[in-house]
Amino acid sequence: LWWHKPVVDQELLQSLPNLKVIANSGVGMDHLDLKLIASFGVKMANAPRAVSSSTADTGMALLLASARRLVEGYHLAISSDTDYCEADFLGVEVTGATLGIIGMGRIGYKIALRAKAFEMNILYHNRTHRKEQEEQAVGATFCETIENLLQQSDFVMVVVSLTPQTHKLIGKREMELMKPTATLINISRGAVIDEEALVTALQTGVIRAAALDVTYPEPLPRDHALLKLKNVIITPHLCIKTDKTTYMITKEAVENILAALNGLPMPSEVL
C-alpha cells in the first residue's frame, strides 16, 4: 500500500481470495482494520526500519525552522517591499533548550539522538521506560505524566501512533499547561492534536508556535484558520519522502512479502 491506496475493505478482501500478505508503506496503521484483515487469514506488515531516520530528520527540521522563523524569514528576504530586516525579527534558541518527546519508540529515540547533538535537555513520556543505558546515551529523563513534560518543555514533539487513546491527545488543557514561549511539533498523525484548540492557542499566545507535518484532514481546507497564521509551519506529510527512504520502504515491503509467501517469519509483521 502506498499512501493508503488501495483502500482495504471487506469488498476488496472478498475479491482477492488468494491474498496472503499486505505490506504498508510506513509505520502508521490507523487507516487499516487489522481485525478485519486477520479474519481473512491475511498477514500484515509495516515498514518501521525504513522510515524512522527520515521521520526523525523531518521532526528536527521542523523544530529548527520554527525556532529560527525560517519560513517568515524567506518571505521577508524575497519580498519586493523589503529594504532591511528589523532588528527585533527574533527567533528562539535551540541550544540548551528543553525538548519534550511524547512517544519514545524507534522514531522518538532517533529524535533524541539528534537533539543531543544540539545540546538540548531531553524529557520523554512513553508507555514504558527506556532502558537505563538508552536513556544515558542521549541524556533523556523519563516523565511519569504528559502534564509534567508539557510544563517543562520549550519544544514538545509528538511521535505517537493514532489510536482511540491518542485521538486529540493534545487539546486545550494540554496546551494551557505548556509555556507561552513553547513550540508544538507534530510528526505523528493530525488527529492526535485538537486543531480547533491549536488555532485558539496560537491566536491568543497560549503557545508561541506550531510546526506540523500532519494535519486532519490532509490537505486542510483552503480556508482553514491554521493556513492564515504566521506562527505555524505546515508541510504536506513529508516525513518519508526522500529518495533513499522510498527505496528502503520498497525493499522492506518485498522482504516481508517474500517471507510471508515462503512461510518464514516476517521481519516487520503487525499482529
Side-chain angles (χ1 to χ4, degrees):
L1 307 180
W2 280 99
W3 294 104
H4 304 184
K5 305 293 184 184
V7 174
V8 179
D9 54 17
Q10 180 119 4
E11 183 181 359
L12 179 74
L13 292 166
Q14 287 175 338
S15 71
L16 299 170
N18 296 321
L19 183 64
K20 298 288 191 295
V21 58
I22 297 170
N24 184 52
S25 62
V27 177
M29 309 290 282
D30 49 276
H31 57 292
L32 295 165
D33 186 335
L34 298 180
K35 288 184 179 178
L36 175 66
I37 292 169
S39 73
F40 279 83
V42 176
K43 293 188 174 184
M44 187 76 230
N46 62 356
R49 291 174 294 151
V51 305
S52 57
S53 291
S54 62
T55 303
D57 288 347
T58 302
M60 288 304 297
L62 286 169
L63 186 156
L64 293 165
S66 181
R68 301 311 302 269
R69 300 172 67 183
L70 293 189
V71 175
E72 285 181 84
Y74 166 75
H75 288 294
L76 178 65
I78 68 168
S79 172
S80 58
D81 299 325
T82 298
D83 294 321
Y84 61 93
C85 181
E86 297 285 354
D88 63 352
F89 185 82
L90 303 177
V92 294
E93 198 78 23
V94 171
T95 302
T98 297
L99 170 62
I101 302 171
I102 301 175
M104 191 68 132
R106 189 189 299 259
I107 295 169
Y109 194 75
K110 290 202 170 189
I111 289 165
L113 285 167
R114 286 153 176 73
K116 183 186 178 187
F118 283 90
E119 301 173 32
M120 301 187 80
N121 303 310
I122 302 166
L123 306 176
Y124 77 97
H125 176 75
N126 201 42
R127 287 175 296 181
T128 56
H129 261 249
R130 278 278 181 170
K131 294 176 182 176
E132 187 177 351
Q133 59 265 38
E134 292 173 334
E135 291 181 339
Q136 291 176 349
V138 294
T141 302
F142 179 74
C143 290
E144 293 283 352
T145 66
I146 287 180
E147 289 79 6
N148 189 18
L149 178 146
L150 294 171
Q151 290 169 335
Q152 298 182 67
S153 300
D154 300 301
F155 298 89
V156 175
M157 190 156 336
V158 187
V159 202
V160 297
S161 300
L162 178 60
T163 66
Q165 291 72 38
T166 62
H167 183 261
K168 293 190 177 180
L169 178 70
I170 307 298
K172 180 177 183 291
R173 184 181 76 88
E174 287 73 25
M175 292 176 209
E176 288 175 348
L177 288 171
M178 293 170 65
K179 298 177 182 180
T181 53
T183 300
L184 179 62
I185 302 145
N186 188 14
I187 55 170
S188 51
R189 287 289 186 267
V192 167
I193 290 177
D194 183 335
E195 289 179 346
E196 186 176 336
L198 178 61
V199 169
T200 301
L202 291 168
Q203 288 174 333
T204 59
V206 171
I207 62 173
R208 171 188 168 271
L212 315 170
D213 189 48
V214 287
T215 58
Y216 184 79
E218 291 178 356
L220 288 171
R222 297 298 86 184
D223 60 349
H224 197 284
L226 278 175
L227 303 182
K228 299 176 175 64
L229 298 175
K230 287 187 176 181
N231 55 341
V232 61
I233 295 173
I234 301 176
T235 50
H237 209 141
L238 295 178
C239 277
I240 66 173
K241 290 185 177 177
T242 73
D243 49 359
K244 182 179 179 180
T245 298
T246 301
Y247 173 81
M248 288 170 61
I249 288 170
T250 308
K251 187 172 182 290
E252 190 166 355
V254 170
E255 289 171 358
N256 280 290
I257 290 167
L258 290 177
L261 295 180
N262 289 304
L264 300 171
M266 294 163 60
S268 308
E269 184 172 6
V270 177
L271 300 172

